């Protein structure tokens, strides 16, 4: 019987977050680390995102998903960071300061790794039809956009010939173009909100370029077809997002794609007893991207769903450096954690608290707003004092915002109880 | 020439087949779908009822009690999950208490053990998750939960292991009396048999009426359900019923035997025996009614909704027995709730009747037990290690949400009456039944199905007919 | 009265989330005026979009003997927008043989655009079974 494997740092997930975190940890001096990836390749979901538009921020050039992933895979290989593929973490628990990671794979069976630090980088999953409560039949031909993407882009197979897409998130928009360029007909994209969840660029280049209509404030209210999808009924919704009777329109199609939101995959995090933020579905983290379990860090879409992979990489690198500092004893013990609070349109913040004594000279705070705004201000306050006010021509729920906090602005404030983030609309 | 042909591979047909398998008959089950458990049996509450609902003296009352009493031992013999979690019939008004008393008395008359009326305080001690509105309840400790897929599969596999033939995608289109028995014309040729058992669910009336002058009427009664995530599966530990109405037992809230939370069903009579669609009204009704039973129904945790059709008989009882004007033709019709609970007893009951008509000896080599597929998710660490040691495929996780491995999926396909469709794999292994609803594992499962069946992934279906997943190759349409 | 060859077109800018609705006045295909933009990048985008719109096309090419049956490809530079479908269709009959390396030219001068189609991923040989 083999003894328990010991590692300084285990990174769960070999997608963009895990790769960037691992690289940064190694570059900060962590020797004994391991990436665990459940798929047969590193790179995660980027491997099936064959469209371009990645990397403008990180590499100052436009790359496709596989190319972007490829750069980080190359980096991980050149840094000789060990990784295991086809390896599923089935359990994660804490025993005192030790973290026990239980792994399963074909070759080695089931075994435990004892880690001093863990980085959570498991990514997210798509919201399925069931969670959307769409009435109707349950035939073949209903796919989440990502599943369809995998079929088209990895397997070279078409999930259908005529599609309706529900949800205007970026994956849905991207799939509208992909399906069209591969010979299918996309009849419509319906979005329940009065605004699109995707980037303007994708609406222009994925829908307008191909004459695909986008119907805002519309949703699917019925699915027909007992074996394969034969059609859907789309209806307008009112301001409470409830379908308006009499506005139904039947559309024949053999496929319904769903692009209705992503959910961080935190089943393992739950096992650790870490508290999750009900708004993001990800764990609460402090300025070091450390969860309420010391030595457990989180980054990427498992923490909160991002729209740009470039920011995932940046965030993950920060988690990697912090994990290294923790292992090297350079992350001082937790002191006074000042809560960061989103109000008046700011739905959440990551991090959700900040320890001024531990923070770097600057700290990126990321968040999303709950509504679409024009010509509004993002304000950061502590106590009654305005720390920061940024004019924002456009704010939208589909777009992550960020502000930079400066240590100099916060240090030395004895009355620091919380820092609030809010949207102020024009008076 | 067959001795006995069972029409319908739902839980009733399969339970009967398993009991027929004890005797020296040439027996076949004809099923129009591509798998067992494709009709009413796949979309129901999964409850093993205690037996207080039916009127004393009815067939329902007798078979329910017998079924409930058989379930525990049977679950060990045939290896399917069953748990006596106890059930509660809630009443929300003081005036309802007399009805609870009446139910209790009815249950006692039926022979149900341990029935108890709980007052407000006792109810909360027994079930802390119960809603504040509930004022009293009838407690039935013998009520239980069972997996309807596993129960049906267990019967079918055991029947097959004992020589019963299963012919799928074989729809009976016409039946005729012939001198030796009956000729059954099907979508796949004709069958001749001495005896017929009609266990055709919502179609049982139609089949019966082809052969008998004494017509019966089976009305498809739709029931919609919402299934919630395992994270809220422990909201309640008992099955919570509400006082019955004219349309049945009303909406229940129950943990499932696999740890989810289930709410439903509605009850709406429909024309189309295929209309298993869910509706906005139905789901709203489930939410509204279920919310009465528990505090804070976690509607945001719904992972899927589905609808089933119960085979409701006009006279509100099972019709089981040889048809008067059709010797050798046996009905097992009107098998709505508590049909699942009754199935084991119905099997024995029908087999005994067939034997009276068609004398036969018992097989000496009957195999009474059946072993299911190992489940990595519920296995202990030691068992997992052992299984992976024996077969590395048990170490390759395919469905993350339910922790189902390639080894289990391969088992599901290769075993007798193995899965040939995605739904077949899902019902046998739970792959794709979790919170992502097969978003991640669909491609992998399809690939394994194709590999094991020697087909292309384009040929793999969800379940029946034209339910193919893929329509062609990239650029076919260019 | 409208002069012959004179037209006004509008375009939504994609250079930032603002999404300005920009109007461009053209005469005989030449830009006369640009209004509605907030910044110079918008004017530049609108001008380009209305006179010579270009896109990168990403698609797939079949691979024989690879770990997966297709490999992803892109145009190595932007091509005229109205040639997107043709460029995808031009890949239909191509079958590569694994291994394929990221950057390999899959099709030269696709549809006469002067731009090559290149692989955007490695495709290893399928493991022997």
């Amino acid at each position: 019987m083999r003894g328990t494997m010991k590692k300084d740092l285990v990174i769960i997930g070999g997608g963009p977050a895990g790769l960037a975190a691992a690289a940064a940890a190694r570059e900060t001096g962590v020797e004994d680390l391991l990436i665990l990836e459940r798929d047969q390749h590193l790179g995660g979901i980027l491997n099936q995102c064959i469209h371009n538009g990645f990397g403008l921020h990180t590499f100052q050039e436009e790359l496709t998903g596989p190319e972007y992933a490829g750069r980080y895979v190359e980096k991980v290989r050149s840094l000789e960071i060990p990784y295991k593929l086809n390896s599923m973490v089935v359990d994660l628990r804490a025993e005192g300061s030790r973290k026990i990671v239980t792994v399963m794979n074909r070759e080695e069976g089931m075994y435990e790794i004892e880690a001093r630090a863990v980085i959570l980088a498991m990514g997210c999953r798509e919201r399925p039809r069931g969670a959307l409560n769409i009435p109707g039949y349950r035939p073949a031909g209903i796919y989440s956009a990502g599943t369809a993407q995998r079929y088209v882009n990895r397997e070279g197979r078409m999930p259908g010939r005529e599609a309706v897409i529900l949800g205007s998130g970026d994956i849905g928009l991207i799939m509208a173009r992909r399906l069209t360029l591969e010979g299918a007909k996309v009849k419509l994209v319906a979005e329940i909100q009065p605004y699109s969840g995707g980037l303007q660029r994708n609406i222009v280049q994925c829908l307008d370029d191909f004459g695909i209509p986008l119907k805002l404030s519309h949703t699917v209210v019925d699915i027909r077809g007992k074996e394969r999808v034969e059609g859907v009924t789309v209806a307008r919704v009112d301001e409470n997002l409830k379908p308006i009777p009499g506005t139904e329109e039947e559309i024949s199609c053999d496929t319904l794609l769903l692009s209705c939101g992503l959910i961080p995959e935190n089943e393992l995090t739950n096992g650790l007893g870490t508290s999750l933020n009900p708004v993001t579905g990800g764990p609460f983290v402090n300025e070091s991207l450390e969860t309420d379990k010391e030595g457990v860090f989180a980054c990427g879409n498992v923490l909160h769903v991002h729209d740009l992979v470039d920011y995932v990489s940046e965030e993950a690198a920060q988690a990697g450096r912090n994990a290294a500092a923790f292992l090297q004893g350079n992350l001082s013990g937790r002191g006074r954690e000042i809560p960061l609070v989103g109000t008046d349109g700011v739905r959440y913040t990551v991090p959700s608290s900040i320890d001024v004594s531990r923070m770097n000279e600057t700290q990126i705070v990321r968040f999303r707003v709950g509504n679409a705004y024009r010509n509004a201000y993002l304000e950061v306050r502590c106590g009654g004092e305005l720390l920061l006010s940024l004019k924002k021509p456009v704010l939208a729920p589909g777009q992550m915002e960020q502000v930079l906090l400066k240590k100099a602005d916060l240090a030395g404030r004895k009355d620091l109880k919380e820092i609030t983030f809010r949207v102020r609309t024009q008076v | 020439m067959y001795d006995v042909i069972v029409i319908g591979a739902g839980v009733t047909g399969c339970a009967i087949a398993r009991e027929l398998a004890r005797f020296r008959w040439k027996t076949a089950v004809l099923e129009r779908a591509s798998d067992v458990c494709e009709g009413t049996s796949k979309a129901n509450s999964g409850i093993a009822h205690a037996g207080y609902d039916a009127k004393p003296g009815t067939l329902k009352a007798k078979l329910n009690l017998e079924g409930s009493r058989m379930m525990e031992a049977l679950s060990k013999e045939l290896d399917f999950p069953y748990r006596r979690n106890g059930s509660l019939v809630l009443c929300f008004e003081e005036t309802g208490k007399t009805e609870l008393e009446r139910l209790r008395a009815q249950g006692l008359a039926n022979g149900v053990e341990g029935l108890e009326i709980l007052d407000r305080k006792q109810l909360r001690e027994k079930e802390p998750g119960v809603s504040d509105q509930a004022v009293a309840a009838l407690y039935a400790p013998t009520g239980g939960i069972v997996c309807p897929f596993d129960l049906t599969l267990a019967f079918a596999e055991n029947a097959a292991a004992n020589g019963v033939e299963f012919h799928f995608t074989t729809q009976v289109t016409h039946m005729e009396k012939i001198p030796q028995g009956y000729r059954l014309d099907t979508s796949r040729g004709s069958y001749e048999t001495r005896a017929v058992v009609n266990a055709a669910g919502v179609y049982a009336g139609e089949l019966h009426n082809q052969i008998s002058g004494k017509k019966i009427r089976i009305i498809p009664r739709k029931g919609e359900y919402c299934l919630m995530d395992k994270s809220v599966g422990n909201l309640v530990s008992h099955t919570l019923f509400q006082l019955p109405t004219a349309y049945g037992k009303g909406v229940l809230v129950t943990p499932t035997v696999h740890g989810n939370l289930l709410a439903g069903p509605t009850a709406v009579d429909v024309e189309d025996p295929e209309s298993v669609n869910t509706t906005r009204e139905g789901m709203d009704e489930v939410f509204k009614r279920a919310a009465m039973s528990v505090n804070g129904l976690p509607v945001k945790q719904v992972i899927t909704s589905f609808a089933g059709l119960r085979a409701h008989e006009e006279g509100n009882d099972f019709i089981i027995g040889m048809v008067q004007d059709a010797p050798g033709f046996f009905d097992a019709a009107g098998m709505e709730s508590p049909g699942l609970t009754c199935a084991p007893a119905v099997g024995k009951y029908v087999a005994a009747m067939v034997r009276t008509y068609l004398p036969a000896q018992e097989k000496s080599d009957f195999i009474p037990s059946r072993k299911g597929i190992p489940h990595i998710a519920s296995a202990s660490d030691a068992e997992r290690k052992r299984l992976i040691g024996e077969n590395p495929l048990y170490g390759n996780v395919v469905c993350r949400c339910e922790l189902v491995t390639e080894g289990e999926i391969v088992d599901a396909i290769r075993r007798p009456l193995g899965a040939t469709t995605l739904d077949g794999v899902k019902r046998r292994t739970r792959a794709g039944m979790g919170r992502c609803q097969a978003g991640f594992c669909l491609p992998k499962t399809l690939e394994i199905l194709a590999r094991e069946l020697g087909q292309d992934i384009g040929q793999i279906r969800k379940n029946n007919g034209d339910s193919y997943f893929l329509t062609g190759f990239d650029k076919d349409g260019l | 009265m409208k002069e012959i060859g004179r037209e006004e077109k509008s375009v939504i800018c994609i250079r930032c989330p603002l999404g300005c609705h920009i109007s461009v006045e053209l005469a005989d295909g030449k830009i006369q005026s640009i209004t509605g933009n907030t910044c110079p990048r918008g004017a530049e985008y609108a001008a380009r979009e209305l006179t010579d719109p270009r896109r990168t096309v990403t698609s797939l090419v079949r691979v024989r003997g690879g770990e997966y049956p297709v490999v992803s490809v892109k145009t190595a530079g932007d091509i005229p927008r109205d040639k997107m479908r043709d460029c995808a269709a031009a890949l239909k009959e191509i079958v590569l043989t694994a291994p394929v390396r990221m950057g390999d030219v899959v099709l030269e001068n696709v549809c006469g655009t002067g731009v090559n189609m290149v692989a955007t991923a490695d495709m290893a040989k399928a493991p022997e079974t």
Side-chain angles (χ1 to χ4, degrees), chain A residues 105-120:
Chain A
N105 65 30
R106 242 179 306 218
E107 288 73 29
E108 300 157 302
M110 194 173 86
Y111 61 99
E112 292 185 344
I113 304 172
E114 188 183 313
R116 289 173 59 210
V118 168
I119 297 178
L120 307 172

mmCIF file of all heavy atoms in Angstrom, chain A residues 105-120:
data_model
loop_
_atom_site.group_PDB
_atom_site.id
_atom_site.type_symbol
_atom_site.label_atom_id
_atom_site.label_comp_id
_atom_site.label_asym_id
_atom_site.label_seq_id
_atom_site.Cartn_x
_atom_site.Cartn_y
_atom_site.Cartn_z
ATOM 1 N N ASN A 105 -8.367 8.066 -11.079
ATOM 2 C CA ASN A 105 -8.118 7.923 -12.514
ATOM 3 C C ASN A 105 -7.910 6.453 -12.865
ATOM 4 O O ASN A 105 -7.863 5.599 -11.987
ATOM 5 C CB ASN A 105 -6.943 8.796 -12.976
ATOM 6 C CG ASN A 105 -5.614 8.371 -12.378
ATOM 7 O OD1 ASN A 105 -5.386 7.188 -12.082
ATOM 8 N ND2 ASN A 105 -4.734 9.333 -12.171
ATOM 9 N N ARG A 106 -7.855 6.216 -14.164
ATOM 10 C CA ARG A 106 -7.778 4.851 -14.664
ATOM 11 C C ARG A 106 -6.506 4.143 -14.216
ATOM 12 O O ARG A 106 -6.536 3.000 -13.826
ATOM 13 C CB ARG A 106 -7.782 4.885 -16.190
ATOM 14 C CG ARG A 106 -8.941 4.198 -16.817
ATOM 15 C CD ARG A 106 -8.865 4.322 -18.315
ATOM 16 N NE ARG A 106 -8.738 5.730 -18.713
ATOM 17 C CZ ARG A 106 -9.338 6.249 -19.780
ATOM 18 N NH1 ARG A 106 -10.082 5.498 -20.543
ATOM 19 N NH2 ARG A 106 -9.176 7.516 -20.091
ATOM 20 N N GLU A 107 -5.393 4.866 -14.310
ATOM 21 C CA GLU A 107 -4.101 4.209 -14.113
ATOM 22 C C GLU A 107 -3.793 3.953 -12.646
ATOM 23 O O GLU A 107 -3.255 2.924 -12.292
ATOM 24 C CB GLU A 107 -2.964 5.040 -14.728
ATOM 25 C CG GLU A 107 -2.954 5.031 -16.248
ATOM 26 C CD GLU A 107 -4.080 5.877 -16.838
ATOM 27 O OE1 GLU A 107 -4.490 6.850 -16.178
ATOM 28 O OE2 GLU A 107 -4.567 5.543 -17.937
ATOM 29 N N GLU A 108 -4.112 4.936 -11.795
ATOM 30 C CA GLU A 108 -3.672 4.825 -10.405
ATOM 31 C C GLU A 108 -4.802 4.503 -9.438
ATOM 32 O O GLU A 108 -4.571 4.385 -8.244
ATOM 33 C CB GLU A 108 -3.004 6.139 -9.980
ATOM 34 C CG GLU A 108 -1.804 6.486 -10.818
ATOM 35 C CD GLU A 108 -1.500 7.976 -10.778
ATOM 36 O OE1 GLU A 108 -2.371 8.779 -11.142
ATOM 37 O OE2 GLU A 108 -0.391 8.326 -10.365
ATOM 38 N N GLY A 109 -6.023 4.412 -9.957
ATOM 39 C CA GLY A 109 -7.154 4.130 -9.073
ATOM 40 C C GLY A 109 -7.508 5.340 -8.242
ATOM 41 O O GLY A 109 -7.488 6.461 -8.724
ATOM 42 N N MET A 110 -7.831 5.092 -6.980
ATOM 43 C CA MET A 110 -8.216 6.201 -6.120
ATOM 44 C C MET A 110 -7.158 6.399 -5.048
ATOM 45 O O MET A 110 -6.744 5.438 -4.414
ATOM 46 C CB MET A 110 -9.567 5.901 -5.475
ATOM 47 C CG MET A 110 -10.191 7.117 -4.850
ATOM 48 S SD MET A 110 -11.846 6.783 -4.270
ATOM 49 C CE MET A 110 -11.474 6.134 -2.669
ATOM 50 N N TYR A 111 -6.723 7.629 -4.861
ATOM 51 C CA TYR A 111 -5.701 7.872 -3.845
ATOM 52 C C TYR A 111 -5.807 9.293 -3.314
ATOM 53 O O TYR A 111 -6.487 10.136 -3.897
ATOM 54 C CB TYR A 111 -4.302 7.596 -4.401
ATOM 55 C CG TYR A 111 -3.930 8.473 -5.568
ATOM 56 C CD1 TYR A 111 -3.143 9.602 -5.396
ATOM 57 C CD2 TYR A 111 -4.375 8.163 -6.852
ATOM 58 C CE1 TYR A 111 -2.794 10.410 -6.464
ATOM 59 C CE2 TYR A 111 -4.033 8.968 -7.924
ATOM 60 C CZ TYR A 111 -3.247 10.083 -7.727
ATOM 61 O OH TYR A 111 -2.921 10.887 -8.789
ATOM 62 N N GLU A 112 -5.117 9.516 -2.211
ATOM 63 C CA GLU A 112 -5.184 10.827 -1.568
ATOM 64 C C GLU A 112 -3.871 11.571 -1.720
ATOM 65 O O GLU A 112 -2.800 10.968 -1.706
ATOM 66 C CB GLU A 112 -5.504 10.659 -0.071
ATOM 67 C CG GLU A 112 -6.903 10.150 0.167
ATOM 68 C CD GLU A 112 -7.266 10.098 1.647
ATOM 69 O OE1 GLU A 112 -6.354 10.160 2.492
ATOM 70 O OE2 GLU A 112 -8.472 10.007 1.943
ATOM 71 N N ILE A 113 -3.994 12.875 -1.865
ATOM 72 C CA ILE A 113 -2.815 13.730 -1.844
ATOM 73 C C ILE A 113 -2.988 14.699 -0.685
ATOM 74 O O ILE A 113 -4.045 15.315 -0.539
ATOM 75 C CB ILE A 113 -2.672 14.544 -3.149
ATOM 76 C CG1 ILE A 113 -2.639 13.623 -4.357
ATOM 77 C CG2 ILE A 113 -1.415 15.416 -3.105
ATOM 78 C CD1 ILE A 113 -2.682 14.350 -5.694
ATOM 79 N N GLU A 114 -1.932 14.799 0.122
ATOM 80 C CA GLU A 114 -1.981 15.755 1.223
ATOM 81 C C GLU A 114 -1.268 17.021 0.770
ATOM 82 O O GLU A 114 -0.096 16.984 0.404
ATOM 83 C CB GLU A 114 -1.270 15.152 2.441
ATOM 84 C CG GLU A 114 -1.417 15.967 3.678
ATOM 85 C CD GLU A 114 -0.607 15.337 4.817
ATOM 86 O OE1 GLU A 114 -0.697 14.102 5.014
ATOM 87 O OE2 GLU A 114 0.126 16.089 5.472
ATOM 88 N N ALA A 115 -2.013 18.125 0.747
ATOM 89 C CA ALA A 115 -1.441 19.365 0.222
ATOM 90 C C ALA A 115 -1.370 20.421 1.313
ATOM 91 O O ALA A 115 -2.235 20.489 2.172
ATOM 92 C CB ALA A 115 -2.289 19.881 -0.939
ATOM 93 N N ARG A 116 -0.324 21.246 1.256
ATOM 94 C CA ARG A 116 -0.251 22.376 2.189
ATOM 95 C C ARG A 116 -1.109 23.529 1.696
ATOM 96 O O ARG A 116 -1.676 24.266 2.479
ATOM 97 C CB ARG A 116 1.205 22.824 2.364
ATOM 98 C CG ARG A 116 2.058 21.823 3.156
ATOM 99 C CD ARG A 116 3.520 22.235 3.149
ATOM 100 N NE ARG A 116 3.698 23.571 3.731
ATOM 101 C CZ ARG A 116 4.665 24.414 3.384
ATOM 102 N NH1 ARG A 116 5.536 24.074 2.445
ATOM 103 N NH2 ARG A 116 4.768 25.589 3.968
ATOM 104 N N ALA A 117 -1.170 23.662 0.387
ATOM 105 C CA ALA A 117 -2.022 24.705 -0.187
ATOM 106 C C ALA A 117 -2.738 24.141 -1.415
ATOM 107 O O ALA A 117 -2.236 23.224 -2.067
ATOM 108 C CB ALA A 117 -1.204 25.918 -0.578
ATOM 109 N N VAL A 118 -3.908 24.690 -1.694
ATOM 110 C CA VAL A 118 -4.709 24.249 -2.833
ATOM 111 C C VAL A 118 -5.192 25.478 -3.593
ATOM 112 O O VAL A 118 -5.574 26.477 -2.979
ATOM 113 C CB VAL A 118 -5.928 23.412 -2.355
ATOM 114 C CG1 VAL A 118 -6.930 23.199 -3.496
ATOM 115 C CG2 VAL A 118 -5.478 22.065 -1.786
ATOM 116 N N ILE A 119 -5.161 25.407 -4.913
ATOM 117 C CA ILE A 119 -5.801 26.451 -5.718
ATOM 118 C C ILE A 119 -6.997 25.835 -6.439
ATOM 119 O O ILE A 119 -6.858 24.844 -7.169
ATOM 120 C CB ILE A 119 -4.829 27.087 -6.729
ATOM 121 C CG1 ILE A 119 -3.691 27.795 -5.980
ATOM 122 C CG2 ILE A 119 -5.563 28.074 -7.650
ATOM 123 C CD1 ILE A 119 -2.639 28.425 -6.875
ATOM 124 N N LEU A 120 -8.161 26.400 -6.196
ATOM 125 C CA LEU A 120 -9.381 25.936 -6.846
ATOM 126 C C LEU A 120 -9.478 26.613 -8.208
ATOM 127 O O LEU A 120 -9.505 27.840 -8.293
ATOM 128 C CB LEU A 120 -10.610 26.291 -6.005
ATOM 129 C CG LEU A 120 -10.596 25.844 -4.544
ATOM 130 C CD1 LEU A 120 -11.794 26.437 -3.802
ATOM 131 C CD2 LEU A 120 -10.601 24.325 -4.446
#
